[in-house]
Amino acid sequence: MPNSYIEVLRVPSAGFAKMVDALLMQIPGDATPLRLTFFGRLASNAMYTERWQLLRQKVAARFGEAMPALSYVAQPPLDAPLLLELYGCRLQEGERLTYGATADISYVVWTNDAGRFLFTGGFRGEDLTQTTEQQAEQAFQCLEETLRETGFTLDSILRQWNYIEGITAFAGTDQHYQAFNNVRSMHYGQTQWPTGYPAATGIGTHFGGVSIAVDAALLTASDAFAMPIDNRLQVAAHAYSGEVLEEANQRKATPKFERAKCLTCGKERLVYVSGTAAIRGEESLKQAGLARQLEVTMENIKELIGSAPLVYLRVYLKNPADYVNTTRLLEDYALAIPITFMWADVCREELLIEIEGLAKAIESAI
């Protein structure tokens, strides 16, 4: 979004409550957070629920009625015991923020000359013992309730994060990720998506069930528009054949997302890079090791962003032991940007790494 930024905050190991306090203290007093996403290690869903309530209480106490969108993701950071990703904005004259919540999930609406922008926390079902399909259905219902309350529509979603506990696991013959995709396809089928599906990441978590967070935009300025970006090296995910899909309830709906989504507001262009991995066409590089998979992943990202420089990357690693080697390999790209590393299963068993990100460019520099 125009005048937006990302900061990554980390703390040394301590009790959970103390780590949350330390992270909140690092947020500058003049900052305007739109979304706070906490990443941490958990031992159970009971612990997730307990810590979520504590986290929400502390963030509410810190911000009062101006509470940012809030998510808590059960993915252990590989360089900190608890990590906070802060997505904020620099408000200009005449711009305003409004705050709300659906159940206990907060959201923020930013209104400026380009239009209205929605940022949500992670919607989810109340019962983490339910099936992936049931939890996904409840999460989408909460999302759609917020869209109605704020005057947004499904097809206004620009970016979506889909966190799925045990993403490649099976409940009987039904794969969790495929169950999620079936539910997503059903809900997305309610609209036409004239500017393409959202950019998205579907990624595993250790606990926390199914959670969905989104950025959405209703653009009103004549020089503001959104468009999907394809990768000529890959088949669009929503056009996959059944050969590369698993099954859930005897269905194989394709993943409904674009490889990237570009938002243009005046002279500023932002590219939301979806979760990207070592896939060519629609097939994974199954016999490739980490180094080759990372190389192909970065080639795919370059195809999507063109000349727009990256400003942030989030790296997901299937094996935490690959962290040191991954940081060394990424040094060759001389990025000099914030990069976070999470331990998480990728949506295909053979994939060792997935990377998402954000690129930003000014028209005169493109």
Side-chain angles (χ1 to χ4, degrees):
M1 308 298 175
N3 301 315
S4 62
Y5 62 92
I6 294 177
E7 291 187 11
V8 177
L9 308 177
R10 299 174 176 86
V11 289
S13 183
F16 181 73
K18 290 184 177 181
M19 290 192 294
V20 173
D21 289 339
L23 286 170
L24 293 177
M25 288 180 62
Q26 289 185 47
I27 299 174
D30 59 351
T32 307
L34 299 169
R35 177 187 288 112
L36 303 178
T37 306
F38 288 80
F39 297 86
R41 181 188 299 270
L42 292 119
S44 68
N45 272 324
M47 179 182 288
Y48 178 90
T49 300
E50 178 184 341
R51 289 187 170 183
W52 161 253
Q53 295 300 333
L54 177 61
L55 177 61
R56 190 177 188 283
Q57 291 169 8
K58 286 184 173 293
V59 173
R62 166 70 166 77
F63 291 98
E65 294 183 355
M67 184 166 171
L70 178 64
S71 291
Y72 182 32
V73 183
Q75 292 173 341
L78 293 172
D79 58 355
L82 188 68
L83 181 147
L84 171 57
E85 180 185 290
L86 184 158
Y87 189 72
C89 69
R90 300 177 180 87
L91 284 181
Q92 306 296 309
E93 185 177 355
E95 299 181 346
R96 68 180 186 276
L97 298 178
T98 55
Y99 301 86
T102 302
D104 64 346
I105 306 302
S106 51
Y107 61 81
V108 181
V109 177
W110 178 11
T111 304
N112 57 36
D113 289 342
R116 299 174 65 236
F117 300 88
L118 171 68
F119 308 87
T120 79
F123 299 107
R124 63 185 184 281
E126 295 182 358
D127 186 352
L128 299 181
T129 68
Q130 289 185 321
T131 67
T132 298
E133 182 176 6
Q134 291 170 322
Q135 292 187 56
E137 177 62 34
Q138 292 175 16
F140 272 103
Q141 288 176 0
C142 291
L143 166 61
E144 290 171 358
E145 181 179 344
T146 297
L147 294 174
R148 288 190 295 270
E149 288 178 357
T150 54
F152 287 79
T153 57
L154 265 178
D155 58 17
S156 69
I157 300 173
L158 294 174
R159 182 65 166 93
Q160 185 164 320
W161 290 268
N162 307 302
Y163 302 108
I164 303 163
E165 182 181 340
I167 189 170
T168 58
F170 284 77
T173 58
D174 300 334
Q175 191 209 39
H176 290 182
Y177 185 47
Q178 190 58 56
F180 174 86
N181 283 329
N182 292 346
V183 174
R184 173 168 53 178
S185 290
M186 181 180 65
H187 282 266
Y188 276 15
Q190 300 173 27
T191 189
Q192 297 299 311
W193 300 96
T195 61
Y197 294 115
T201 300
I203 196 72
T205 62
H206 293 192
F207 298 100
V210 174
S211 177
I212 301 171
V214 306
D215 292 353
L218 291 174
L219 303 172
T220 55
S222 59
D223 60 354
F225 56 93
M227 60 181 292
I229 302 177
D230 284 325
N231 181 352
R232 63 184 178 86
L233 302 176
Q234 295 180 298
V235 173
H238 50 79
Y240 280 164
S241 72
E243 297 299 315
V244 296
L245 302 176
E246 298 291 348
E247 187 173 273
N249 294 324
Q250 299 181 330
R251 296 175 56 203
K252 289 188 174 186
T254 57
K256 300 299 191 294
F257 70 93
E258 306 292 347
R259 296 297 182 188
K261 199 72 175 277
C262 181
L263 172 66
T264 299
C265 294
K267 294 183 178 181
E268 188 171 18
R269 180 164 63 95
L270 291 95
V271 181
Y272 298 92
V273 179
S274 296
T276 303
I279 296 173
R280 287 293 164 84
E282 64 176 14
E283 297 288 342
S284 306
L285 273 68
K286 295 181 179 180
Q287 304 304 318
L290 174 70
R292 178 58 178 156
Q293 285 199 17
L294 186 147
E295 179 183 28
V296 171
T297 299
M298 294 301 288
E299 288 173 357
N300 284 333
I301 290 174
K302 180 60 179 177
E303 282 289 320
L304 296 169
I305 65 175
S307 59
L310 287 163
V311 296
Y312 177 71
L313 288 179
R314 192 191 297 171
V315 179
Y316 302 100
L317 290 171
K318 180 182 179 68
N319 301 312
D322 287 334
Y323 168 65
V324 173
N325 196 23
T326 302
T327 58
R328 181 183 60 78
L329 291 168
L330 281 172
E331 288 175 357
D332 293 340
Y333 294 87
L335 295 172
I337 60 173
I339 303 176
T340 59
F341 297 86
M342 308 299 169
W343 175 18
D345 282 335
V346 184
C347 63
R348 297 185 186 184
E349 283 285 1
E350 64 271 16
L351 293 173
L352 304 174
I353 186 169
E354 181 170 320
I355 302 177
E356 65 175 71
L358 181 67
K360 182 183 293 189
I362 305 300
E363 186 177 289
S364 59
I366 298 174

